[in-house]
Amino acid sequence: NAASTIKLSGIMSQLSSNATFTNCHNYGNLSIYQGAKGQIFIAGGVCHIVNGLSGNPVININDCSNEGKLYVSDKISHSGTPYYGGFTSYVDNAVKCNYNKVYNNGELTFKSVATGNNMVYTGGVIGYLDAAVLELNMTDCGNTGELKYLHSLSQDRKNMYMGGIIGHNGAKLNHTLTNITNTGNITAAGSTNRFILAGLVGSTANDLPLENCSNSGNITVESTQSFNGEHAWVAGLTGVILETSGTKAITLTNCNNSGDISVKNTAFTGQLAVGGISAQMIYNSSNSYCGKMYITDCTNTGDITVENVSVAKDFSVGGILSSISKKGYAEIKAPTQRGNITVTIPSANTVVH
C-alpha cells in the first residue's frame, strides 16, 4: 500500500514492443483492497501499452477476452489518476493497435475513495487512449460486463469518464471502429464533480468514426448523498466532444441505442445534457473552436428519464443529440427516434430545453 503506482492485469502488466495476442483469455478475478499513493492501472488483459521502441510498435489483439471480475475497494485512497479497462486500461505514446474480436465479459466495480482533483477513466474494453496514439482499429469488439462506479466521498471533486467500450479517446490520428457493441449496464452512483457516461465512448478529444455500432445497456446516474455536482453529460453512444479543433469530428453511421437512460436524485451547479445518441459538443473559449458531428441513419429506441434533478444553468435533453455549443456543427441525416422522454422538474428555477 506504499507503492506510487500499481499495475494489475490478467495477462500482461506492461507492453512496450511489437506484439500479437491470439486466443488469450483471462478467467481470474482481479481485486485491489489497499491503497496506492499514485496511479492505479487495472485491466483484465493487457494493462498498459506504451512505446518502448525507437519506431512505432504495432499491437495486434485477436480473439481475446476478459471473463473475470475487476474490483477496486472503497478502502483505496490515492492522489494519482486511476485507469480501469475491461481488457486494456491505458494506451500510450506512438503505437498502432488492432483489436479484432476482443471482448470484456467481466463485471467492473470501482468503489474507490480517491482524493484530490483526479480524473477517473473507465472503459469496458479500453479505459484511456492517449493523444499520441497513432492508430486504433477495432472490429467486432464488445463489452457485456456491467460497469459500476460507486464513489462515497461527498466533498471530493473529480471528473469521471466512463464508456461501455472506451472511457476517453484522446488519440489524434487514424481510427476505425466497426461492429462495436455494448450490452452491459453502466451505473454511476454517489458523488463526483462531473459525470461523463455513454454506452460506447464516454468522451473524445479527436476524430472518432463509428459504423454499425450499438448499445443496449441501460445507463444510470444517481447521487446517493446530498451533493451538488458541476456538470453531467450522458448519452446512449457518445457522451461529449471535449474541446476539439474545428477540423475534428465524431461520425456515427448506422448506429443505434436501445438502452434506457436515467438521471435522478442529484443537483448540478452547471449543466446537464442527456442524449439518446450523443450528448454535447463543448466549446473551447480560449481557442475559439468547437467540434463537428455527423449522424447518419442512426436510431434511438431507449427511454430517457430525468427525475428529481435540479440544474442551475443549462438543462437539455434530446432523443438523438442533446445540444451543440456555439461554433459547433452537426449534420443529422435520416435519424429515427422512438424512445419515450420523461422529465420531472423539482424546482421552478430549472429550465429545460
Side-chain angles (χ1 to χ4, degrees), residues 40-241:
I40 289 180
F41 301 83
I42 180 170
V46 181
C47 195
H48 189 186
I49 298 175
V50 59
N51 183 6
L53 302 176
S54 58
N56 301 317
V58 177
I59 314 299
N60 298 304
I61 304 176
N62 305 303
D63 296 298
C64 295
S65 71
N66 172 59
E67 311 292 334
K69 295 180 180 180
L70 277 65
Y71 178 80
V72 177
S73 82
D74 56 5
K75 295 181 180 180
I76 298 293
S77 180
H78 56 85
S79 58
T81 299
Y83 303 92
Y84 308 129
F87 196 86
T88 304
S89 60
Y90 194 109
V91 182
D92 194 4
N93 291 341
V95 298
K96 299 179 180 180
C97 294
N98 300 308
Y99 284 66
N100 179 50
K101 297 181 180 178
V102 178
Y103 272 83
N104 173 63
N105 300 313
E107 179 183 284
L108 281 66
T109 302
F110 308 104
K111 299 177 68 177
S112 173
V113 294
T115 58
N117 288 318
N118 303 94
M119 308 290 186
V120 180
Y121 299 99
T122 304
V125 178
I126 301 174
Y128 185 91
L129 285 163
D130 188 79
V133 173
L134 294 179
E135 186 175 316
L136 172 69
N137 299 303
M138 296 185 74
T139 305
D140 298 325
C141 298
N143 173 66
T144 66
E146 184 174 4
L147 276 64
K148 296 187 290 186
Y149 180 81
L150 311 173
H151 195 271
S152 60
L153 285 184
S154 62
Q155 299 303 316
D156 198 21
R157 310 297 292 178
K158 70 176 16 52
N159 300 333
M160 189 277 300
Y161 301 80
M162 183 179 287
I165 303 299
I166 299 172
H168 173 73
N169 168 52
K172 296 178 179 179
L173 298 176
N174 301 314
H175 304 306
T176 59
L177 288 84
T178 306
N179 299 331
I180 307 301
T181 61
N182 175 63
T183 61
N185 293 334
I186 301 172
T187 301
S191 62
T192 194
N193 190 31
R194 296 183 179 184
F195 291 103
I196 303 172
L197 290 86
L200 297 182
V201 181
S203 65
T204 184
N206 279 291
D207 289 332
L208 184 68
L210 295 105
E211 184 173 1
N212 300 328
C213 299
S214 67
N215 171 64
S216 60
N218 297 328
I219 302 170
T220 303
V221 176
E222 181 173 13
S223 178
T224 57
Q225 311 172 43
S226 176
F227 175 77
N228 292 328
E230 184 181 4
H231 305 298
W233 297 282
V234 187
L237 300 184
T238 60
V240 65
I241 304 178

Side-chain angles (χ1 to χ4, degrees), residues 10 44 74 157 165 189 235 251-252 264-265 268 281 284 310 339 350:
D74 56 5
R157 310 297 292 178
I165 303 299
T251 303
L252 298 102
K264 53 187 178 181
N265 301 331
F268 299 98
M281 292 178 286
N284 185 324
S310 63
T350 299

